[in-house]
Amino acid sequence: MREVRIDPSFESWQSAARSLLREGISPDEVQWNDGSIVQSSLLTLSAPRAVEPVTEYRVPARFVDMARRAATNADPQRWALLYRVLWRIVRENHDLLDVERDIDVARLNELSQPTARPFVPQTQSVDALREAVKECRGCDLYKYATQAVFSRGPQDARVALVGEVPGDQEDLRGAPFVGPAGEVLDRALAEVQLRREDLYVTNAVKHFKFERVGKRRIHKTPAPVEVAACRPWLESELALVRPNIVVCLGATAARSMLGDQFRLMKQHGQWIESRWAPRTMATIHPSAVLRADDPPMQERNYAILRDDLRKVATELLGS
Ligand code: URA
Ligand code: SF4
């Protein structure tokens, strides 16, 4: 056996794994120690058996991506798993990652799911989350956006609004709903006499997702895997705010929070008891007003948004 000491980082594991592979030290012969566990069996370690070394090898880029992601996980077995998969790719089957039923591949798939979890601190303060989100690399969206856009509004707000994802303006200015969709939202809020400053306003996904078309950056709907990756932020912030009322703005937030079965155009404006708040509701997204095909459709969508928000205002007065 050999004890291999590394820092708990992908780079540190990678450089150790390369040497081990070159030396022909098999995964069964390695105990990984990233400093997080106290080894008790050090004295019993004997010299590792080596097999025929490999000098030249190539691994699929996909493995490197997955390993990088899995490395940010907390599972203490991850270094051993990564080395075992690497060894098997090099020695047994270059296409091992395609064998989804393989137990090691299945575990690596699990560990390398995009998630914000390792970046979300244990804290009692939304401000601390707001600070920490700047460093999130839970999914790939941070690579293209200007900055993470976290919530605005008081931690003791009684009402939380959850949008989808920041847009172009939000990405540049670092605050939610400050662009055209925000104007529509503000107009509807004013009409029903809800004050934006009293509300906790956030998004299901914290980094802008877009497509470049000429000079413009056009909003793209985040994929379910990105919504799922970003969810630990939403969970943590709403657990701290504990609003009486949560309003999902649009289908992305509604599906993420109320389930895939939720049908926005059928169920908008209805109060639901959910794990998020005693009173939860979904309504149409302010952008749906802007994107509607013609003025009558815009007017209809705006009326839905305003009338649903009026229920929120009424509920708030009554409670
Ligand atoms: N659309 C959203 O869903 N959120 C924003 O912050 C802006 C536009
Ligand atoms: Fe992290 Fe969410 Fe940004 Fe992805 S979108 S990097 S999970 S904050």
Side-chain angles (χ1 to χ4, degrees):
M1 277 299 241
R2 175 183 299 181
E3 188 198 36
V4 176
R5 289 178 189 247
I6 57 169
D7 297 330
S9 72
F10 170 75
E11 287 74 18
S12 182
W13 170 84
Q14 185 183 42
S15 107
R18 279 187 182 141
S19 323
L20 291 166
L21 206 55
R22 293 219 170 84
E23 285 183 67
I25 312 280
S26 91
D28 309 336
E29 295 289 334
V30 182
Q31 267 192 28
W32 293 90
N33 183 355
D34 66 1
S36 66
I37 34 172
V38 182
Q39 296 282 359
S40 54
S41 55
L42 282 187
L43 294 177
T44 68
L45 298 184
S46 51
R49 282 175 293 119
V51 296
E52 187 69 24
V54 280
T55 45
E56 287 288 312
Y57 65 88
R58 287 189 59 79
V59 295
R62 180 149 74 103
F63 173 74
V64 180
D65 286 345
M66 292 174 85
R68 207 179 276 284
R69 225 172 247 308
T72 65
N73 238 277
D75 185 333
Q77 299 301 320
R78 65 198 183 285
W79 310 119
L81 174 75
L82 290 178
Y83 186 52
R84 198 159 60 243
V85 173
L86 175 63
W87 177 271
R88 293 182 59 205
I89 287 174
V90 172
R91 300 219 164 224
E92 283 172 21
N93 177 6
H94 184 78
D95 298 322
L96 179 66
L97 294 181
D98 294 336
V99 188
E100 280 169 24
R101 280 173 319 171
D102 182 274
I103 187 166
D104 287 338
V105 174
R107 183 67 186 138
L108 178 58
N109 273 327
E110 259 171 46
L111 285 184
S112 59
Q113 281 298 313
T115 176
R117 198 164 300 285
F119 302 92
V120 180
Q122 286 279 351
T123 174
Q124 294 304 311
S125 134
V126 170
D127 283 336
L129 296 176
R130 197 171 278 124
E131 193 54 33
V133 76
K134 296 176 182 169
E135 302 303 320
C136 187
R137 292 163 169 241
C139 74
D140 284 339
L141 293 183
Y142 77 91
K143 293 182 186 169
Y144 314 104
T146 308
Q147 57 188 319
V149 176
F150 209 66
S151 63
R152 284 294 181 276
Q155 181 164 338
D156 62 359
R158 293 166 68 202
V159 180
L161 307 185
V162 183
E164 180 189 77
V165 64
D168 179 73
Q169 290 296 311
E170 288 79 12
D171 171 76
L172 296 172
R173 294 168 57 187
F177 287 103
V178 294
E183 276 175 37
V184 175
L185 178 64
D186 283 341
R187 186 175 135 215
L189 290 174
E191 256 198 84
V192 303
Q193 290 171 6
L194 283 170
R195 283 158 33 107
R196 171 92 171 245
E197 315 84 83
D198 296 340
L199 309 178
Y200 185 84
V201 180
T202 193
N203 282 302
V205 171
K206 311 304 193 215
H207 277 103
F208 182 34
K209 183 175 184 183
F210 59 93
E211 199 169 28
R212 269 186 207 284
V213 179
K215 281 189 180 158
R216 293 180 56 202
R217 303 188 301 170
I218 307 294
H219 156 277
K220 278 184 86 173
T221 302
V225 63
E226 290 151 351
V227 178
C230 211
R231 198 176 158 108
W233 290 113
L234 188 62
E235 302 257 2
S236 299
E237 60 188 322
L238 291 183
L240 293 176
V241 174
R242 296 204 295 127
N244 298 34
I245 296 175
V246 166
V247 183
C248 308
L249 297 173
T252 300
R255 262 191 250 114
S256 166
M257 298 175 73
L258 303 172
D260 281 339
Q261 302 308 311
F262 191 85
R263 291 292 166 262
L264 186 65
M265 291 322 280
K266 233 171 133 178
Q267 294 172 275
H268 72 85
Q270 298 176 9
W271 290 114
I272 300 166
E273 188 180 332
S274 77
R275 48 177 292 246
W276 306 97
R279 308 292 262 158
T280 307
M281 165 196 293
T283 187
I284 208 161
H285 195 287
S287 299
V289 177
L290 299 169
R291 292 195 197 120
D293 290 336
D294 50 34
M297 195 58 119
Q298 285 185 359
E299 207 35 61
R300 188 204 67 152
N301 284 349
Y302 177 75
I304 292 176
L305 172 66
R306 179 199 54 211
D307 293 347
D308 287 346
L309 289 175
R310 198 187 310 282
K311 295 182 190 170
V312 174
T314 306
E315 181 70 22
L316 201 55
L317 286 177
S319 63

